[in-house]
Amino acid sequence: MQNLPQKIRSKKLSTKVDLTAMVSVSFLLIIFFMVTIELAKPKVLDYYLPNCIDEQYRSVCNISNENRIMTVLLDDNNKVITYTGLLYVPIDTPKTTKYGKNGIRKVLFERNKKVLEYSTALGKPGRGITVIIKPSKNSNYGNLIDILDEMAIAKIEAYAIIPEFTPEETKLLASN
């Protein structure tokens, strides 16, 4: 018998695939999307307007915190108009100011200081002003960013951006 060359057989490799890394990546992706969805939800401030808007109902209307409300109207040419309270009986009359350290920032700091002192006297310390920002159609996006920067610098925690104007505010913007 002759020695015949034997057939060389290839070694069979295991067909198992290790999916441990794939499971880890999928869990990381799931966690990432859950967190980003949660962070993308808008944080909403409850904003209550009084039911009495006309001047004739002022004697009947009870607004407990009107001295905490400051309204900032943004107009063209970097013009900022501020008033505190309600426009038809303001606590601080409407004033035109500008952006910057000696403008709106100074007004925000002073008003917030007064309101904090008032709140402390009432036994509710730490309740500062609520600023209502109303950009007009003539104001630009940069004005809105500037006023939001001023809110951050002045450490105003409660503010709302509302695009609607009352007829009195529209007249005020037209006259200035």
Side-chain angles (χ1 to χ4, degrees):
M1 217 168 146
Q2 277 183 334
N3 280 344
L4 294 170
Q6 292 187 353
K7 291 184 182 177
I8 300 175
R9 294 196 175 223
S10 62
K11 207 176 198 181
K12 297 244 179 180
L13 297 176
S14 172
T15 58
K16 284 173 126 184
V17 177
D18 187 14
L19 294 178
T20 307
M22 184 63 103
V23 170
S24 298
V25 169
S26 62
F27 278 119
L28 285 173
L29 284 172
I30 290 170
I31 291 170
F32 172 76
F33 286 117
M34 288 172 56
V35 169
T36 54
I37 288 171
E38 187 62 33
L39 292 176
K41 290 181 182 174
K43 306 297 182 224
V44 178
L45 170 71
D46 289 333
Y47 174 66
Y48 298 104
L49 283 175
N51 289 335
C52 51
I53 294 184
D54 294 334
E55 294 175 28
Q56 62 188 355
Y57 298 113
R58 176 71 181 144
S59 59
V60 180
C61 183
N62 182 16
I63 303 169
S64 59
N65 287 329
E66 74 181 62
N67 62 343
R68 289 186 58 225
I69 299 171
M70 180 177 186
T71 305
V72 177
L73 305 174
L74 307 177
D75 204 10
D76 60 345
N77 298 326
N78 297 330
K79 189 169 31 171
V80 180
I81 301 172
T82 64
Y83 66 90
T84 304
L86 302 173
L87 187 56
Y88 48 85
V89 271
I91 295 169
D92 289 337
T93 58
K95 296 176 207 157
T96 302
T97 187
K98 57 186 176 182
Y99 294 97
K101 183 178 178 180
N102 294 323
I104 187 69
R105 191 177 312 162
K106 183 178 178 184
V107 172
L108 289 170
F109 275 126
E110 289 173 357
R111 187 66 200 161
N112 200 30
K113 183 179 176 185
K114 284 181 189 177
V115 170
L116 285 171
E117 289 170 359
Y118 171 78
S119 296
T120 304
L122 287 178
K124 298 177 183 178
R127 295 188 67 195
I129 60 173
T130 300
V131 179
I132 301 170
I133 302 167
K134 294 188 172 188
S136 72
K137 292 180 182 177
N138 298 330
S139 68
N140 59 34
Y141 185 71
N143 295 140
L144 184 60
I145 297 302
D146 290 342
I147 197 68
L148 292 177
D149 287 342
E150 295 293 345
M151 295 293 136
I153 292 168
K155 295 183 175 71
I156 305 297
E157 295 177 2
Y159 58 87
I161 301 170
I162 300 175
E164 294 96 24
F165 284 86
T166 64
E168 293 85 11
E169 289 169 339
T170 306
K171 290 177 189 173
L172 178 65
L173 282 175
S175 67
N176 283 330

